[in-house]
Amino acid sequence: MEHVSVLVNEVLTHLGPVPGGIYVDATVGHGGHALSILKHEPDVGQLICIDQDSDAIERATAALAAFGNKVTFFNQSFTLLKDILSQAGVNAIDGIVFDLGVSTGQLKDPSRGFSIYLEGPLDMRMNAGAALHAKNLIEELDTNELANTIYRYGEERFSRRIAARIKARQADINTTADLAQTVFEAIPARFHPRRIHPATKTFQALRIAVNDELQALESGLQAAFEALRSGGRMCVISFHSLEDRIVKTMFKQWSGECVCPRDLPVCSCGCRPQVRIITRKVVRAGGEELNANARARSAKLRVAEKI
Ligand SMILES: C[S@@+](CC[C@H](N)C(=O)[O-])C[C@H]1O[C@@H](n2cnc3c(N)ncnc32)[C@H](O)[C@@H]1O
């Protein structure tokens, strides 16, 4: 199950790893970005690799074995970056990469319950030890809460119909196939999207909720900002507008651009520049990469440098 990493050259160019530098791959996955950093600059001081999925840590450990104790692994959430760095004996870092979302290994493993197309248990946890999975999320939320979740995290216009149908059948919805079929039936046929499965947005919403992904992203970015030394860079690859909005807003806040409402006559937010935004325009994959890797189509890279 090969995972093709996205925007690898663009990340390397912007991260600019130097000999002796300390770097973090906050979402090591299959180890693709980590490997590219180590190949590009074999003399980095340390590469700290994080993933909340133990399968990912196992895979990345094997992929990066040749680099010995230069690389350390932490099977934790990147929200715990501060603790992880103190466990690693590191005070400040020179750069960090976030490559958000799920990996091919996660998506293509039916037992993880991420895929609309592969039948498996209704799970969707990136951290298989976490208490909440998609089946109990559906059971715990009432119809209104479920509709709000599907609307907010999936931007799904039929969220109310979908939530009502799911709740009416929840005892019989045990697999990804049951859920996909239920959503398929809840959306009127004439509104079925042509290019994607009608349940795509609902699956995205439940996955985000199960893994608390947006809250985690905000905490992870804040922790990364605090850990970066002056001149250190943060590279963030996002895959949907909800993630990208968070990255863009936090970068803007740190860059000192005023975030007061437009109709406020005098600035009251007191923002002062703490980062320089390196990517004024978001970086997207080029034609060759787009042809080779479908995941690259929605990938957006933003980079900021600590002042
Ligand atoms: C797109 S994959 C990364 C692929 C990797 N860059 C590569 O090239 O092989 C995203 C990874 O981030 C992990 N992840 C997502 N949220 C996380 C979090 N809060 N903390 C740690 N890892 C997380 C997922 O488990 C998944 O393995």
Side-chain angles (χ1 to χ4, degrees):
M1 261 176 292
E2 205 196 333
H3 174 91
V4 184
S5 308
V6 300
L7 297 168
V8 171
N9 291 333
E10 291 80 355
V11 166
L12 276 181
T13 305
H14 285 102
L15 190 69
V18 293
I22 298 176
Y23 298 92
V24 176
D25 185 337
T27 53
V28 74
H30 291 229
H33 286 100
L35 187 61
S36 72
I37 293 169
L38 291 161
K39 280 188 172 165
H40 181 81
E41 183 43 84
D43 292 328
V44 294
Q46 203 177 341
L47 180 63
I48 295 166
C49 295
I50 304 171
D51 206 295
Q52 61 180 338
D53 182 341
S54 56
D55 289 355
I57 291 291
E58 211 172 288
R59 248 185 238 121
T61 304
L64 305 172
F67 297 90
N69 58 8
K70 210 172 260 289
V71 193
T72 42
F73 295 92
F74 292 86
N75 183 198
Q76 282 174 309
S77 169
F78 56 58
T79 56
L80 301 173
L81 182 66
K82 196 174 171 194
D83 286 356
I84 292 171
L85 294 181
S86 95
Q87 287 173 61
V90 164
N91 293 323
I93 57 174
D94 296 284
I96 183 163
V97 179
F98 292 85
D99 174 21
L100 302 167
V102 284
S103 69
T104 307
Q106 290 167 327
L107 200 60
K108 295 277 166 74
D109 179 350
S111 75
R112 304 298 300 270
F114 286 110
S115 173
I116 299 176
Y117 301 102
L118 302 172
E119 182 154 23
L122 210 46
D123 192 317
M124 302 194 189
R125 287 170 300 176
M126 290 183 187
N127 168 6
L132 185 73
H133 52 66
K135 170 78 178 160
N136 48 39
L137 177 75
I138 285 171
E139 285 168 356
E140 278 173 18
L141 300 181
D142 66 26
T143 308
N144 196 37
E145 291 166 334
L146 183 59
N148 289 343
T149 299
I150 295 171
Y151 183 72
R152 197 172 308 140
Y153 297 150
E155 299 178 310
E156 169 59 71
R157 62 189 281 219
F158 293 105
S159 56
R160 309 236 144 246
R161 294 175 72 126
I162 294 168
R165 174 81 64 139
I166 292 175
K167 289 303 282 184
R169 291 213 192 141
Q170 72 180 19
D172 298 322
I173 302 178
N174 295 306
T175 69
T176 47
D178 298 337
L179 179 65
Q181 182 61 25
T182 305
V183 178
F184 183 92
E185 289 165 16
I187 300 177
R190 67 182 187 286
F191 293 110
H192 281 183
R194 254 187 254 144
R195 294 224 190 126
I196 54 170
H197 190 289
T200 303
K201 291 179 173 182
T202 302
F203 270 63
Q204 173 185 300
L206 296 179
R207 195 201 82 205
I208 290 175
V210 164
N211 297 290
D212 198 12
E213 289 178 33
L214 302 184
Q215 189 59 47
L217 177 57
E218 281 191 32
S219 310
L221 293 181
Q222 183 62 37
F225 165 73
E226 287 165 17
L228 278 175
R229 69 171 92 252
S230 174
R233 288 193 172 186
M234 179 181 329
C235 301
V236 189
I237 303 172
S238 64
F239 288 88
H240 55 75
S241 57
L242 299 168
E243 287 172 343
D244 186 50
R245 208 172 299 149
I246 290 173
V247 182
K248 194 172 156 187
T249 306
M250 292 186 78
F251 277 18
K252 196 170 162 192
Q253 266 170 25
W254 296 325
S255 73
E257 286 180 38
C258 173
V259 288
C260 292
R262 275 167 200 265
D263 54 356
L264 213 66
V266 182
C267 167
S268 70
C269 69
C271 288
R272 299 284 170 270
Q274 292 170 285
V275 303
R276 201 161 63 87
I277 298 177
I278 304 297
T279 48
R280 278 282 151 204
K281 269 183 71 186
V282 78
V283 177
R284 307 204 66 145
E288 214 173 288
E289 184 173 4
L290 291 175
N291 288 336
N293 184 3
R295 277 183 70 252
R297 272 183 229 142
S298 39
K300 288 181 182 169
L301 170 67
R302 292 186 188 271
V303 182
E305 182 181 286
K306 185 97 169 262
I307 291 174

